[in-house]
Amino acid sequence: MKAILKISLILTIFCMYSCAETQQVLETTGRVQLDGTYTITTLNGDSVNGMTINFSGITKRVSGNGGCNQYFADYTLNNLTLSIGDIGATKKACPNLDNETELFEALANVGSYNSVGKSLTLYSKDNNDVLIEATEN
């Protein structure tokens, strides 16, 4: 009887460990799926140049170039739900910061994404409109 109890205990511990390992793999897979450096091609439906976005799946940080300044923020990812935290940026004086301001506002409003091949699309959390389209470098 003691042998059966010991075996049951060992199997229970093994199963619990396996479930924890599976959860960790699933969480890591979700993070790694959104990883890499992209060139932003479209912002709120308009073509743009000189903007990048980089997702680091390991650190859960997003960063890039807004056309003039470097920016950075934390992000959280749960399945296809994406939330970008408060954005910090350098403070260079550039002649036109309109597109950059629009980018930061769009990033703050991101609620989900779709990644197919080398294409990344970020959608609004309010009405699922396309905010940003980008191509992986």
Side-chain angles (χ1 to χ4, degrees):
M1 186 65 162
K2 287 185 179 181
I4 293 174
L5 185 58
K6 286 181 183 179
I7 291 173
S8 296
L9 181 61
I10 290 171
L11 287 174
T12 301
I13 291 170
F14 177 75
C15 288
M16 288 177 16
Y17 179 76
S18 295
C19 290
E21 286 288 313
T22 301
Q23 182 64 33
Q24 185 177 7
V25 167
L26 289 173
E27 288 173 359
T28 302
T29 301
R31 286 196 311 264
V32 173
Q33 184 178 0
L34 188 56
D35 193 76
T37 301
Y38 299 82
T39 299
I40 297 172
T41 55
T42 305
L43 175 62
N44 294 322
D46 297 323
S47 295
V48 292
N49 293 311
M51 295 182 170
T52 62
I53 189 166
N54 177 55
F55 288 93
S56 174
I58 302 298
T59 62
K60 293 194 231 176
R61 301 270 299 164
V62 61
S63 61
N65 187 295
C68 175
N69 289 288
Q70 299 295 317
Y71 66 90
F72 49 90
D74 293 325
Y75 74 89
T76 56
L77 184 62
N78 185 8
N79 293 325
L80 294 179
T81 301
L82 172 63
S83 178
I84 297 177
D86 293 336
I87 299 168
T90 57
K91 304 263 186 205
K92 292 181 187 175
C94 298
N96 185 356
L97 294 175
D98 291 343
N99 280 349
E100 188 168 272
T101 301
E102 189 176 348
L103 173 63
F104 296 164
E105 289 171 356
L107 289 172
N109 193 33
V110 168
S112 62
Y113 77 99
N114 187 28
S115 179
V116 177
K118 291 186 171 273
S119 296
L120 174 67
T121 306
L122 303 180
Y123 299 97
S124 167
K125 60 185 162 191
D126 297 327
N127 52 18
N128 216 26
D129 284 346
V130 173
L131 297 174
I132 297 169
E133 293 177 296
T135 304
E136 189 171 19
N137 295 346

